[in-house]
Amino acid sequence: MNNFNFYSPTEFVFGKGREDETGRYVKKYGGTKVLIHYGGGSVVRSGLLDRVKRSLTENGVAFAELGGVQPNPRDTLVYKGIDLCRSEGVDFILAVGGGSTIDSSKAIAIGVPYDGDFWDFYSGKHATEALPVATVLTIAAAGSEGSGNSVITKEEGMLKRGTGSDVLRPRFSIMNPELTQTLPSYQTACGATDIMAHVFERYFTNTTEVEITDRLCEAVLLTMVKETPRVIADPDNYDARANIMWAGTVAHTNIVGVGRDQDWNSHGIEHELSALYDCAHGAGLAVIMPAWMEFVYKHNVMRFCQMATRVFGCQMNFESPETTALEGIRRFRSFLHGIGMPINFRELGAKEEDIPALVEKFGLGDGRTYGFVRLSSDDIAEIYRIAARAEL
Ligand code: NZQ
Ligand code: ZN
């Protein structure tokens, strides 16, 4: 196991009706003038926004508001948010929504105290200062409610890039699983796929002797395999929703990934798809992640056998471990298909002829990525090709 620090300062406020306590928590963490940031309207329609505003007012907290965050959140709205915060004297950002809204809020939070262009932080600069951010989460997916990460798309050239810093970790996150019951099943499934991908990015490691994190990863994956079909079949199943919501956070605070090298190539490869086609991140991952697995499994067949036997219930074939490894990957893809996810380019709305452009935008040049298997540009092109043509 590698040396590590684990820092997860967020206070998670979990359960039914907890959004009514938002104002109290903003006060606890020192907010006096809040920017409420939200998406395309789901929180208006559900009445959540009104409940959050009421809670702030009851606690004497003033607020400004800015809606309109799109999935794959854009830099253009971030600039607006930064200007608004400066002119209104905002000292606390409250994201009410999903990963896109939270990531946009984090971008505003680092932009406000910074003299230069906030995009600098999405081009390699490390953030050391930000306004405090908190969240009221409405979808179990990105894990941004507990992570120090943010992913923004620059509209000019549709460049999707991320940043990470502990100053972006939310002060608190309110997590009421009931709020996710209004999600269309496609979005629920996209979220579930993203959660599983966050675990797999950590599970496939070259670090040995990491039993505790292996087992934690498997616990989250087994939970997702059990609970996701339950919520797809019955969207109002509170307990299944609750398990998935907490799984989403556990998957991405890094508690399942400490002490081990991680991969994250599937995320990088997917981000080019959601940047080019503006598809849901989870849907892109459903197409990419099994294709990546098929490309790399020979690097450590036994690790894929471990996934196949422990997570997807395969029988170990000792004469032919490769058969077991491939069966595990096949079951993963079939699971994704079963919850309504696309499994190839056609189903995602992507085009095979765009592969050279996708690889070029990935921007690897002559180098290789880091991770479980260090990929060249040719390798990435091959993964896109496997993804393009995948069938059950
Ligand atoms: O915009 P509204 O109207 O709210 O609708 C949203 C949006 O259309 C809708 N939605 C959310 N909660 C709902 C709801 N509809 C009905 N009822 C509810 N309760 O769902 C759609 C998707 O929302 P979005 O916020 O985009 O989803 P998600 O949480 O999956 O976030 C995706 C973004 O997070 C990034 C992705 O790349 C993508 O841009 N990621 C962020 C990470 C991080 N910060 O740590 C890590 C991830 O790997 C990921 O890359
Ligand atoms: Zn993700």
Side-chain angles (χ1 to χ4, degrees):
M1 196 191 291
N2 302 337
N3 291 359
F4 68 86
N5 285 21
F6 178 65
Y7 179 69
S8 182
T10 308
E11 181 165 2
F12 297 104
V13 181
F14 195 97
K16 293 181 183 174
R18 302 304 301 271
E19 63 276 15
D20 294 337
E21 298 171 53
T22 308
R24 183 158 75 77
Y25 281 97
V26 169
K27 254 166 89 175
K28 174 175 173 180
Y29 286 97
T32 61
K33 178 78 186 273
V34 171
L35 176 73
I36 308 176
H37 199 31
Y38 58 94
S42 73
V43 302
V44 178
R45 290 190 294 279
S46 68
L48 173 63
L49 190 64
D50 282 342
R51 295 206 295 286
V52 167
K53 285 185 195 168
R54 195 177 319 131
S55 174
L56 292 176
T57 305
E58 279 168 7
N59 285 277
V61 179
F63 57 83
E65 56 183 292
L66 178 65
V69 181
Q70 292 166 254
N72 302 316
R74 308 298 205 270
D75 62 332
T76 40
L77 193 67
V78 172
Y79 292 114
K80 268 192 201 157
I82 293 169
D83 287 346
L84 184 64
C85 286
R86 287 180 180 154
S87 63
E88 294 275 338
V90 163
D91 58 16
F92 198 97
I93 318 273
L94 180 67
V96 184
S100 295
T101 294
I102 300 171
D103 286 2
S104 184
S105 300
K106 289 175 176 177
I108 294 170
I110 23 177
V112 172
Y114 181 59
D115 280 341
D117 183 346
F118 92 92
W119 190 254
D120 293 347
F121 298 104
Y122 294 76
S123 328
K125 194 176 169 77
H126 183 72
T128 53
E129 198 189 348
L131 290 186
V133 176
T135 86
V136 179
L137 185 65
T138 62
I139 174 173
S144 192
E145 70 280 4
S147 82
N149 298 27
S150 160
V151 185
I152 299 291
T153 298
K154 191 179 184 56
E155 213 147 79
E156 194 189 323
M158 290 301 275
L159 209 58
K160 188 168 181 176
R161 295 291 179 261
T163 192
S165 167
D166 282 336
V167 298
L168 294 178
R169 289 183 184 272
R171 296 296 203 273
F172 67 85
S173 281
I174 294 196
M175 301 171 63
N176 174 359
E178 287 176 315
L179 299 178
T180 66
Q181 289 174 3
T182 52
L183 278 165
S185 69
Y186 184 76
Q187 288 297 343
T188 298
C190 286
T193 307
D194 195 17
I195 292 168
M196 293 178 80
H198 292 163
V199 177
F200 282 132
E201 298 280 18
R202 295 168 163 104
Y203 193 67
F204 292 104
T205 181
N206 295 316
T207 313
T208 56
E209 301 289 347
V210 283
E211 184 71 4
I212 174 64
T213 39
D214 269 4
R215 295 291 185 175
L216 287 170
C217 285
E218 287 156 8
V220 177
L221 292 167
L222 285 163
T223 301
M224 296 308 295
V225 168
K226 176 170 179 233
E227 302 291 10
T228 309
R230 288 177 80 203
V231 290
I232 299 294
D234 175 12
D236 294 335
N237 186 326
Y238 175 84
D239 291 307
R241 290 269 185 203
N243 279 290
I244 290 175
M245 197 174 221
W246 189 238
T249 305
V250 172
H252 206 40
T253 59
N254 207 30
I255 196 160
V256 306
V258 292
R260 52 202 285 148
D261 297 340
Q262 305 184 4
D263 190 66
W264 296 100
N265 284 317
S266 296
H267 264 69
I269 294 169
E270 188 296 310
H271 280 165
E272 299 308 334
L273 289 179
S274 43
L276 187 63
Y277 303 111
D278 207 9
C279 60
H281 169 61
L285 285 168
V287 173
I288 293 299
M289 193 111 230
W292 171 86
M293 289 180 175
E294 282 170 354
F295 185 77
V296 304
Y297 79 95
K298 287 187 180 148
H299 175 69
N300 187 343
V301 173
M302 291 315 287
R303 183 147 277 275
F304 279 91
C305 290
Q306 184 175 307
M307 169 193 88
T309 54
R310 292 185 185 172
V311 179
F312 292 105
C314 300
Q315 284 292 319
M316 182 65 201
N317 184 335
F318 291 98
E319 322 245 284
S320 170
E322 280 203 21
T323 307
T324 310
L326 286 170
E327 177 60 13
I329 299 167
R330 193 194 66 74
R331 288 192 192 186
F332 176 42
R333 185 179 277 131
S334 161
F335 169 82
L336 295 171
H337 191 252
I339 60 171
M341 284 290 90
I343 54 156
N344 54 36
F345 268 29
R346 181 177 41 79
E347 291 182 6
L348 183 69
K351 296 195 203 86
E352 201 169 335
E353 59 262 35
D354 289 337
I355 289 176
L358 288 162
V359 174
E360 200 189 320
K361 250 180 144 189
F362 192 97
L364 203 51
D366 294 336
R368 282 181 178 266
T369 63
Y370 290 93
F372 182 62
V373 172
R374 300 188 60 186
L375 305 171
S376 66
S377 293
D378 287 347
D379 297 337
I380 290 167
E382 182 56 20
I383 291 167
Y384 280 128
R385 270 192 294 275
I386 296 171
R389 298 169 190 174
E391 293 294 342
L392 284 184

